[in-house]
Amino acid sequence: MKKRISLKDIADAVGVSVSLVSYVLNNKGKENRVAEETAKRIREVAKELNYRPNQIARSLKSQRSQSIGLIVADISNPFFANLARTIEDEAHTKNYTVIFGSSDENHVKLKKVLDFLTTRQVDGFILAPTHGCKETIIELQEQNIPFVLIDWYFEGLFTNYVIIDNFQASLDATNHLLKRGHQRMVLDFIPVGIIHFKDRVRGYETALKKGGYRFGR
Amino acid sequence: MKKRISLKDIADAVGVSVSLVSYVLNNKGKENRVAEETAKRIREVAKELNYRPNQIARSLKSQRSQSIGLIVADISNPFFANLARTIEDEAHTKNYTVIFGSSDENHVKLKKVLDFLTTRQVDGFILAPTHGCKETIIELQEQNIPFVLIDWYFEGLFTNYVIIDNFQASLDATNHLLKRGHQRMVLDFIPVGIIHFKDRVRGYETALKKGGYRFGR
DNA sequence: CTGAAAGCGCTAACAC
DNA sequence: GTGTTAGCGCTTTCAG
């Protein structure tokens, strides 16, 4: 039954103070002029004892958890799963961990998950908004927790977000169809006033008008 | 710029000690006979100030991070993404958070991710082994970190694992084909000595023999 | 019924 | 060059 090794264990083994060990293991030894010999001993013992820093303690001190919360509608949805993978890779290279949560497109659940992860002190969120979550987003802003929205944004709400260019995509799609000679088409969408649907309608309409076609609702 | 609210903030606001606040907010007030009136005040103020416990501090004290590491080959693979979702739901109900990592079926990367998450003090792992990771698994055991293997296990290694019944599945599949009148079939598999492939061959062979058919390699 | 204080593992300012 | 100490936010023992 091995216990986890702490800085103190190393300090005791080498016969120095914890702070020295901390300095050396964080490579701050240079500036603090730690004796090369001591540094070497410390590094050796740390390795021998298989020391793993305790990120929790570190986080408490630094006030940064080095983790981000990823909230999507459903992590088992391929679109989000792919996203998750990319985010994971990027996060890991920056020494960040990613904790995920699914909202099921339900703003009540979204809030619950957000709260859950906030308690875990995530440093920020990447989240896919759900219908009706505007209030929650505003609260997030007020709490000063960094976040970026994906796949969706709110008109009149100043937030970071990354989405596709719905207008351009719709424009291109319509033009593509027109070019192939299709003149009668219908744009199907959910009429809930969501910004990206508006953009898509606009793209569709623009392409039609530019081509000299009729646009009706 | 709101700062995060701590127990001390509440204590100061109410005019009591932090310990009292801690008791009340953890519902240990009953046993410790906290005055109903005081308890009420504390709860009110906590709500007003929108207090969120700091799980990091809690973890440092309790030595449990309330999080589990999920390591799969690739989180964007639908099989694993589905698994992830189920695990997430279950974990959240138990007040556990799940941190994920992908190994890309590479045992070197697996070890790296394991190490990364170990530093974060996850309480345990759910992991899909990769080829060649036996050594790493043994180290995990030696470090006394709880884990359960999924989709794969090692012969001669005493670990928890959850897999499908490869033998039965293969037996059923073979029987199904035989029943439909298919007598010439071939079982294709990767000959790397992985336990579940062995089981599948065994199921296949058993079905064939039982049916009185020839089994050759 | 309530508070003081120690300690979880780590960092960093400061002292020697 | 190295050690002491305070403190991150919380829980919990022990006093009062």
Side-chain angles (χ1 to χ4, degrees):
Chain A
M1 191 66 87
K2 288 192 192 175
K3 77 186 260 283
R4 295 188 74 70
I5 300 299
S6 73
L7 284 186
K8 184 158 190 332
D9 296 319
I10 301 177
D12 289 349
V14 179
V16 293
S17 72
V18 253
S19 44
L20 255 225
V21 181
S22 173
Y23 279 136
V24 173
L25 263 26
N26 288 306
N27 292 316
K28 302 206 172 160
K30 260 293 177 33
E31 311 134 35
N32 284 276
R33 305 149 287 165
V34 175
E36 192 45 53
E37 184 57 29
T38 319
K40 209 177 134 211
R41 279 283 293 140
I42 291 175
R43 268 189 272 270
E44 277 171 10
V45 175
K47 185 148 198 180
E48 242 167 62
L49 264 35
N50 194 30
Y51 172 70
R52 292 280 171 277
N54 182 329
Q55 177 65 34
I56 297 221
R58 212 177 247 181
S59 290
L60 184 59
K61 179 75 185 164
S62 67
Q63 306 285 53
R64 327 186 70 245
S65 65
Q66 296 286 124
S67 68
I68 68 179
L70 171 65
I71 304 186
V72 297
D74 181 358
I75 190 69
S76 69
N77 172 323
F79 173 71
F80 292 120
N82 269 298
L83 207 63
R85 179 55 206 273
T86 311
I87 292 172
E88 175 205 332
D89 287 344
E90 195 60 23
H92 283 199
T93 66
K94 302 267 189 293
N95 197 33
Y96 266 79
T97 236
V98 12
I99 301 177
F100 65 91
S102 304
S103 71
D104 287 323
E105 302 270 22
N106 173 337
H107 73 277
V108 177
K109 177 137 196 245
L110 206 218
K111 188 165 166 42
K112 241 182 85 182
V113 176
L114 260 175
D115 243 45
F116 187 54
L117 298 195
T118 300
T119 291
R120 312 314 254 248
Q121 314 296 118
V122 296
D123 292 336
F125 286 101
I126 294 178
L127 68 103
T130 64
H131 196 223
C133 78
K134 194 167 178 178
E135 275 313 310
T136 303
I137 299 295
I138 293 175
E139 284 170 30
L140 242 196
Q141 285 186 318
E142 286 171 350
Q143 290 178 79
N144 251 289
I145 300 177
F147 66 93
V148 10
L149 266 26
I150 48 178
D151 194 38
W152 183 333
Y153 70 100
F154 294 91
E155 287 181 286
L157 218 56
F158 186 68
T159 66
N160 289 315
Y161 58 80
V162 5
I163 55 164
I164 65 162
D165 187 339
N166 283 292
F167 170 75
Q168 191 63 44
S170 174
L171 187 85
D172 290 350
T174 311
N175 276 333
H176 177 74
L177 288 171
L178 289 174
K179 221 167 282 166
R180 313 268 302 214
H182 302 98
Q183 302 190 6
R184 294 175 54 85
M185 45 182 124
V186 16
L187 175 64
D188 190 18
F189 62 96
I190 310 170
V192 279
I194 294 173
I195 188 71
H196 47 272
F197 289 118
K198 283 194 196 163
D199 285 342
R200 288 178 199 173
V201 173
R202 205 159 47 79
Y204 170 69
E205 185 176 358
T206 305
L208 244 36
K209 291 198 169 154
K210 210 167 250 167
Y213 297 94
R214 229 183 61 236
F215 168 75
R217 281 179 189 255
Chain B
M1 190 66 88
K2 289 192 193 173
K3 75 185 262 280
R4 295 189 75 71
I5 301 298
S6 73
L7 285 186
K8 183 159 190 332
D9 297 318
I10 301 177
D12 288 349
V14 179
V16 293
S17 71
V18 252
S19 38
L20 248 261
V21 181
S22 173
Y23 279 136
V24 173
L25 265 25
N26 288 307
N27 293 315
K28 304 209 172 157
K30 262 292 180 29
E31 310 135 37
N32 286 274
R33 307 146 287 165
V34 175
E36 192 43 55
E37 184 57 31
T38 319
K40 210 177 133 212
R41 281 282 295 136
I42 290 176
R43 267 189 274 268
E44 277 170 12
V45 174
K47 187 151 197 178
E48 244 167 62
L49 264 35
N50 194 30
Y51 172 70
R52 291 280 172 279
N54 183 327
Q55 177 64 36
I56 298 223
R58 211 176 249 181
S59 290
L60 184 59
K61 180 73 186 165
S62 68
Q63 305 286 50
R64 328 186 67 245
S65 65
Q66 296 287 123
S67 69
I68 67 179
L70 171 64
I71 304 184
V72 297
D74 182 357
I75 191 69
S76 69
N77 172 324
F79 174 70
F80 292 120
N82 269 299
L83 207 63
R85 179 56 206 273
T86 312
I87 292 172
E88 175 204 334
D89 288 344
E90 195 59 23
H92 283 199
T93 67
K94 302 265 191 295
N95 196 34
Y96 265 79
T97 236
V98 11
I99 300 176
F100 65 91
S102 304
S103 70
D104 287 324
E105 303 270 23
N106 173 338
H107 73 277
V108 177
K109 178 136 195 247
L110 205 220
K111 186 163 167 44
K112 242 183 87 181
V113 176
L114 260 176
D115 242 46
F116 187 53
L117 299 194
T118 301
T119 291
R120 312 312 252 248
Q121 311 299 120
V122 297
D123 292 336
F125 286 101
I126 294 178
L127 69 101
T130 65
H131 196 222
C133 78
K134 194 166 178 179
E135 274 312 310
T136 303
I137 299 295
I138 293 175
E139 284 170 28
L140 243 195
Q141 286 186 317
E142 286 170 352
Q143 288 176 81
N144 251 287
I145 300 177
F147 66 92
V148 10
L149 267 25
I150 47 179
D151 193 39
W152 184 332
Y153 69 98
F154 294 91
E155 286 181 288
L157 218 53
F158 187 68
T159 66
N160 288 315
Y161 58 79
V162 5
I163 55 165
I164 63 164
D165 187 340
N166 283 292
F167 170 76
Q168 190 65 42
S170 175
L171 187 84
D172 290 350
T174 310
N175 276 333
H176 176 74
L177 288 172
L178 289 175
K179 221 168 284 166
R180 313 268 301 215
H182 302 99
Q183 302 191 6
R184 294 175 54 83
M185 44 182 124
V186 14
L187 175 65
D188 191 16
F189 63 96
I190 309 171
V192 280
I194 295 173
I195 189 71
H196 47 271
F197 289 119
K198 282 194 197 163
D199 285 341
R200 289 178 199 172
V201 173
R202 205 159 46 80
Y204 171 68
E205 185 176 359
T206 305
L208 246 35
K209 290 199 171 154
K210 212 168 250 167
Y213 298 93
R214 229 182 63 236
F215 169 75
R217 286 186 186 250

